[in-house]
Amino acid sequence: MLDQKLIRENPTSVEKSLSLRGKDFNVFPIHKLTIEKKAIDIEISNLQSESKKLSKLIGLEIGKSLNNNSAELNNLKKEGNEYRMKISELEEKKRKLDNQIHKEISSLPNFPSKDAPTGKDESDNVQIKTWGDPLKKDHLKSHWEIGESLNLFDSSKTTKISKSRFITLIGNGAKLERALINFMLDIHSNNGYLELMPPALVNSESLQGSGQLPKFSNESFKCSNDDLWLSPTAEVPITAFNKNEIIDPSLLPIKYVAYSPCFRREAGSYGRDTRGLIRLHQFNKVELYWFSNPSKSLEAHKSITSDAESILKKLNLPFRLVDICTGDLGFSSSRTFDLEVWLPSSKSYREISSCSNCLDFQARRSSIRTKIDKKNQYIHTLNGSGLAIGRTMAAILENGQQSDGSVKIPDALVPYFGSNFIKTP
RNA sequence: GGAGAGGUGGCUGAGUGGUCGAAAGCGAACGACUCGAAAUCGUUUAAUAGGUAACUAUUCGUGGGUUCGAAUCCCACCCUCUCCGCCA
């Protein structure tokens, strides 16, 4: 959430910053509401002050005289009543304004960082570096072909269980998934991250707090009988974990790593990536998350990104690092680095981790602060996949495929998986 | 799901209509004593919003209501705990 005060005091600069996203935003209607609200605030405060004084006076008068029903006293009470009417009228107005302002501001995305490349869409993203040698040969199999021939997963049988875009992992496929989760959790938790295993169901407030609501309710699955949603990413429960807290600055940064299943409706993406493990309604992910001192989030962003990178390096998977342009940034993010893994079958890089610095955007929505120089300040939140498990498996299958149809398991993963190759059953 | 109890400052806990933003204790900070420390004694110590400040307002789980005035009364909701039932 953007700072209401900023919109009230400098709407033009707010619009200018937001327009970096490649769309026009009109914040003047909100600006007007905030001015109106401010005036009402002051008026209410004045009236309350008067009415409080009067109440005290009445209390004193009653204490002095035994007559609770004197004409004088009744007049004072009547006066007090008038205050009450006026105040409650104004409060009603204010409540409406507050709701409206809150609703409007919640729908505004975060400011893009000035360091992010300016651009309109995906095509303007900037490649920062590549790592490893991308496997480029003809007649390479896709991971779903490999998965089928090695019997690692089955999507068509899974439609009987739920519907398309779900998967059932089988045998070595299931084992590989499990190995990857443990592998990633171990590396990160040995690297200073505290492991969390949060609930998969989250309430509306939590989704609001990290920015998925109110704008993207179409993207999540909702439970019909409760105010609970299937969490689209561990970012949601982790943000909510420290909601409404003032964190001692000496504890910062707080670094969490969490494994969680993630559920996304993928509305609007039918027809894309319909096969394999790339785009599913349910997938597993190991998520990295930092609560950072606001003055240190730029360095934190580099660290979290390189922590995510380290997994790809250990697994020896070629990847590139991409600086997401202003027009392609997620709603809550001010700057995002994507890690894209090489998928030889499509001869392209695919997103496997998205590392974002949300600055104080989520912290303001969730009210997470720290005390610096005796003043409360919103902390900065950062998140990054470390990594998406399904896509990592796809990359291992495709990059590790051998001419005899087997798949070589990256050395670092062997202790977790238990063997060097996945062979035909 | 049934029955009961409860939610007050950093913590424990008192407070059932009027200077209550809230006793007391613990904790913490500062000072005295001490070579230093412990102990003891004294003083201070809630948060948030607005304002340069003086100050003003709000906050006793949340939201409404009654009243000139609510931590205190009324209504609804949320959460926690205990017992019973069910259950991986």
Side-chain angles (χ1 to χ4, degrees), chain A residues 92-104:
Chain A
E92 179 60 28
K93 256 195 209 170
K94 186 190 151 176
R95 206 173 304 142
K96 277 188 188 149
L97 277 174
D98 260 337
N99 287 340
Q100 212 176 337
I101 289 168
H102 191 256
K103 203 176 122 203
E104 302 275 343

Side-chain angles (χ1 to χ4, degrees), chain A residues 395-415:
Chain A
I396 287 175
L397 297 181
E398 293 200 4
N399 285 285
Q401 59 181 298
Q402 309 293 307
S403 49
D404 65 355
S406 67
V407 170
K408 185 180 184 308
I409 297 296
D411 293 341
L413 197 60
V414 170

Side-chain angles (χ1 to χ4, degrees), chain A residues 143 153 176-177 179-181 183-184 277-278 283-286 308 311-318 339 341-344 350-353 385-400 407-410 413:
Chain A
H143 70 272
F153 45 83
L176 181 55
E177 183 93 355
L180 282 168
I181 294 168
F183 170 70
M184 293 182 198
L277 305 171
I278 299 300
F283 61 96
N284 291 311
K285 183 154 61 71
V286 167
I311 300 290
L312 286 163
K313 287 178 179 166
K314 284 184 167 51
L315 293 176
N316 204 25
L317 295 169
L339 292 167
V341 73
W342 177 252
L343 287 185
R350 283 310 296 262
E351 177 187 335
I352 197 166
S353 172
S385 338
L387 306 163
I389 306 294
R391 291 187 177 186
T392 306
M393 187 188 303
I396 287 175
L397 297 181
E398 293 200 4
N399 285 285
V407 170
K408 185 180 184 308
I409 297 296
L413 197 60

Side-chain angles (χ1 to χ4, degrees), chain A residues 94-136:
Chain A
K94 186 190 151 176
R95 206 173 304 142
K96 277 188 188 149
L97 277 174
D98 260 337
N99 287 340
Q100 212 176 337
I101 289 168
H102 191 256
K103 203 176 122 203
E104 302 275 343
I105 295 187
S106 307
S107 302
L108 292 176
N110 201 358
F111 296 134
S113 158
K114 289 184 179 65
D115 301 328
T118 310
K120 204 145 183 63
D121 56 36
E122 211 177 328
S123 62
D124 294 321
N125 293 342
V126 174
Q127 175 177 308
I128 297 176
K129 67 168 182 187
T130 61
W131 185 91
D133 297 321
L135 176 64
K136 285 178 182 164

Side-chain angles (χ1 to χ4, degrees), chain A residues 261-323:
Chain A
C262 304
F263 303 87
R264 300 185 182 177
R265 294 190 62 229
E266 299 295 347
S269 62
Y270 293 114
R272 292 182 66 194
D273 309 309
T274 48
R275 308 178 74 181
L277 305 171
I278 299 300
R279 192 180 297 273
L280 297 167
H281 287 312
Q282 175 180 350
F283 61 96
N284 291 311
K285 183 154 61 71
V286 167
E287 181 80 354
L288 304 176
Y289 198 107
W290 287 46
F291 293 92
S292 160
N293 186 304
S295 62
K296 293 188 179 145
S297 69
L298 293 185
E299 299 99 274
H301 196 197
K302 285 181 189 138
S303 295
I304 197 172
T305 308
S306 87
D307 288 342
E309 256 180 46
S310 75
I311 300 290
L312 286 163
K313 287 178 179 166
K314 284 184 167 51
L315 293 176
N316 204 25
L317 295 169
F319 67 91
R320 63 173 189 167
L321 180 65
V322 176
D323 198 349

